[in-house]
Amino acid sequence: MVRRFHPNLTQIKVGTFEVLPGMTFEQALNTIINGKEYQLAITFIEGSTFKEWREQFKQAEYLEHETDGLTEAEIARQLGIEHEKLEGLFLAETYHYSVGDSDLDILKRAHRKLDVILEQSWASRQDKLPLKNSYEALILASIIEKETSVPSERERVAAVFVNRLNKRMRLQTDPTVIYGMGDRYDGNIRKKDLREATPYNTYVINGLPPTPIAMPGKASILAAMNPENSNYLYFVASGTGGHVFSKNLRDHNRAVQQYLRQLRSKK
């Protein structure tokens, strides 16, 4: 009957389509024939880790899980990535997918997007940065991402780390310590943690850690390549959502004491 009176409605597409309550039979068929395939979405936040991405993939509806049971190095080989550790190598944003797509498909897209931004940013970077290649810039960007969520601070935070690298000072940044602790991190960093020799503890190692510590966003990547032109060497939380930046240790210690007084006053 449909073929006889509505031959145009028999050209049904293969795919997943959303049929809404209240639609007539003809409207539903039109949706399947002429409508766009239904898209699902998964959102990764800036500063998240690859471990957190894998957990999100497990919870995603109608997504094929091709990476289940694979090690990080095996996933890297599947993606054609030369690094065995995948931290930082994907762009954190919202990705749309259709039923039947896989986590591997999304990772390929996220890696391509990251590569484009990284190459463009590296090509337009400041001169004489203490960074050997774009991967080192990505490492620095991941630290910036974890250190501040205030957009106006990113270039200044980048300047602090670039200045310290140029002076051969250790970066001494807590997020690298936390990353090196892994699952042992319980929300607190103790003195013994600051002294622990892990590959990521920038209170112990010189220079940058061996890999990124999170998935940086575009803004942090740009900040790492184009830091503010300043002489700041230190920063500490202000207690009001941002940071206080200092050019010498005396001023920094004063800012630290002010921050500690604020903390005590809130107890």
Side-chain angles (χ1 to χ4, degrees), residues 16-248:
T16 304
F17 302 90
E18 186 177 29
V19 178
L20 299 173
M23 278 186 173
T24 66
F25 178 66
E26 185 172 336
Q27 287 171 332
L29 278 176
N30 265 316
T31 296
I32 296 171
I33 295 164
N34 301 313
K36 291 179 66 176
E37 188 171 3
Y38 182 65
Q39 295 279 292
L40 298 105
I42 185 168
T43 299
F44 302 105
I45 63 170
E46 296 168 350
S48 55
T49 64
F50 186 62
K51 179 181 178 181
E52 291 168 335
W53 280 42
R54 297 194 76 173
E55 288 300 316
Q56 278 190 254
F57 280 138
K58 289 179 182 178
Q59 305 301 320
E61 290 185 316
Y62 307 111
L63 187 70
E64 298 294 324
H65 300 127
E66 293 185 8
T67 64
D68 279 2
L70 297 182
T71 65
E72 202 163 326
E74 288 169 338
I75 296 171
R77 285 194 290 272
Q78 291 274 350
L79 295 170
I81 295 175
E82 62 181 23
H83 301 281
E84 290 195 351
K85 192 161 179 59
L86 294 172
E87 201 69 83
L89 293 176
F90 308 101
L91 187 66
E93 64 174 32
T94 296
Y95 291 92
H96 292 89
Y97 64 94
S98 302
V99 174
D101 287 347
S102 72
D103 48 8
L104 209 56
D105 295 327
I106 293 174
L107 288 175
K108 287 176 183 176
R109 289 159 52 197
H111 180 61
R112 283 196 299 268
K113 285 195 169 190
L114 186 281
D115 262 356
V116 169
I117 291 173
L118 195 60
E119 288 177 15
Q120 291 175 345
S121 302
W122 183 249
S124 61
R125 71 190 182 279
Q126 282 184 18
D127 293 334
K128 298 180 181 179
L129 288 177
L131 304 168
K132 296 175 184 175
N133 49 51
S134 61
Y135 188 68
E136 286 197 352
L138 189 65
I139 295 172
L140 178 56
S142 73
I143 298 172
I144 296 166
E145 190 68 61
K146 297 300 288 186
E147 278 287 11
T148 184
S149 59
V150 180
S152 62
E153 286 189 346
R154 288 194 181 98
E155 287 79 9
R156 185 163 293 182
V157 169
V160 169
F161 292 132
V162 165
N163 291 340
R164 292 180 75 94
L165 287 171
N166 279 328
K167 289 179 176 291
R168 300 186 182 279
M169 297 172 67
R170 288 177 176 166
L171 297 186
Q172 296 183 321
T173 169
D174 290 355
T176 63
V177 177
I178 293 169
Y179 191 81
M181 292 173 67
D183 292 336
R184 293 186 292 110
Y185 178 63
D186 61 3
N188 295 303
I189 299 178
R190 301 165 181 85
K191 287 185 178 179
K192 66 176 182 178
D193 299 321
L194 298 178
R195 293 193 294 265
E196 183 183 7
T198 76
Y200 291 88
N201 185 353
T202 53
Y203 284 84
V204 174
I205 67 169
N206 297 317
L208 295 163
T211 75
I213 59 170
M215 307 295 184
K218 181 178 179 180
S220 291
I221 294 172
L222 291 172
M225 310 282 196
N226 294 279
E228 176 185 273
N229 182 18
S230 67
N231 296 320
Y232 291 112
L233 291 170
Y234 306 90
F235 62 89
V236 66
S238 65
T240 57
H243 293 86
V244 176
F245 294 82
S246 304
K247 297 178 182 179
N248 58 66

